[in-house]
């Protein structure tokens, strides 16, 4: 069974630029999560989808971050414009359903200069 | 409030046992998880325990749960150099109308040859 796929693996941008990350969850997984992991910290949930609907986006900085999962399968996370403090690893995870175990992708490492 | 705490570092000699500790504050946690993160990689699920269990053993891994003290531990028997990584404790709980993972800050395990 293929795992959670993410791209790109690394991205370097300058502040005020835009960036987008892509995630393809495990086939059949209805729930998809985006996490932000700042160096030295645990992952922090940004947004959770159930199929193509948003379940929880309470910690998403909506003035600059947006995410979508239009067909209930893959998802994109966008930052526009980026700030220095957005430098982090962005992890995508999926689970069969909300209360099931999460499986993580390898992450996208973002550096904002 | 929801909080998960871990000690930051642990150093052991190869062949010894490692014990990584975690405390959590929310008694509504249903599942408690241990994840392993190697450099540049996503989080790998190691094991989990349901909140009505006291202990779970899986090969070299033993999870102990003390519900009264809200204390969770992960014991790795016969620790190997390949076990060097960051270990995250996560509590899975139902809050504000949705299921949510709360992660600790991670414990960096260094195994000395």
């Amino acid at each position: 069974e293929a795992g959670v796929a993410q791209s790109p693996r690394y991205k370097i941008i300058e502040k005020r630029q835009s960036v987008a990350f892509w995630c393809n969850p495990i086939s059949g997984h209805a729930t998809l999560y985006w996490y932000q992991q700042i160096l030295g910290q645990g992952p922090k949930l940004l947004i959770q989808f159930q199929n193509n609907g948003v379940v929880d986006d309470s910690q998403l900085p909506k003035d600059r971050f947006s995410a979508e999962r239009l067909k209930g399968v893959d998802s994109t996370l966008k930052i526009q414009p980026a700030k220095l403090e957005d430098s982090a690893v962005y992890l995508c995870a999926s689970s069969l359903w909300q209360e099931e175990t999460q499986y993580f992708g390898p992450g996208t490492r973002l550096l904002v200069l | 409030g929801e909080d998960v705490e871990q000690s930051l570092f642990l150093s052991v000699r190869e062949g010894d046992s490692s014990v990584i500790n975690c405390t959590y504050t929310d008694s509504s946690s249903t599942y408690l998880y241990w994840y392993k993160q190697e450099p540049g990689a996503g989080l790998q699920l190691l094991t989990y325990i349901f909140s009505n269990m006291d202990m779970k053993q899986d090969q070299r891994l033993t999870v102990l749960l003390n519900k009264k003290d809200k204390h969770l531990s992960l014991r790795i028997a016969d620790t190997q150099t390949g076990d060097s990584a960051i270990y995250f404790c996560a509590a899975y709980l139902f809050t504000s109308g949705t299921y949510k993972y709360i992660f600790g800050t991670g414990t960096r395990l260094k195994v000395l040859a």
Side-chain angles (χ1 to χ4, degrees), chain A residues 9 35 37 42-43 48 55-56 91 98-99 101-102 104-106 109, chain B residues 33 35 37 40-43 45 88 92 98-101 103-105:
Chain A
R9 290 297 311 278
Y35 287 88
Q37 186 180 19
Q48 176 184 341
V55 173
D56 182 359
L91 295 165
Q98 280 193 90
E99 59 268 30
T101 300
Q102 290 188 43
F104 282 81
R109 190 174 298 272
Chain B
Y33 291 83
Y35 284 88
Q37 187 176 39
L43 274 68
L45 176 66
F88 289 95
Y92 190 56
T98 185
Y99 284 97
K100 184 180 292 189
Y101 275 74
F103 284 84
T105 52

Side-chain angles (χ1 to χ4, degrees), chain A residues 26-107:
Chain A
I26 293 173
S27 177
H29 280 197
T31 312
L32 185 147
Y33 310 79
W34 282 103
Y35 287 88
Q36 180 192 59
Q37 186 180 19
I38 292 172
L39 188 66
Q41 298 181 17
K44 182 186 85 172
L45 179 69
L46 292 175
I47 189 167
Q48 176 184 341
F49 291 95
Q50 185 69 19
N51 296 311
N52 61 350
V54 175
V55 173
D56 182 359
D57 63 357
S58 56
Q59 298 191 93
L60 186 75
K62 297 179 186 64
D63 57 333
R64 298 184 301 106
F65 285 64
S66 64
E68 59 184 17
R69 193 185 184 200
L70 293 175
K71 295 181 180 178
V73 181
D74 54 352
S75 175
T76 55
L77 176 69
K78 296 179 182 177
I79 308 175
Q80 181 180 8
K83 292 185 175 181
L84 297 177
E85 58 261 35
D86 298 332
S87 293
V89 176
Y90 291 84
L91 295 165
C92 179
S94 71
S95 62
L96 200 59
W97 199 249
Q98 280 193 90
E99 59 268 30
E100 300 289 334
T101 300
Q102 290 188 43
Y103 295 89
F104 282 81

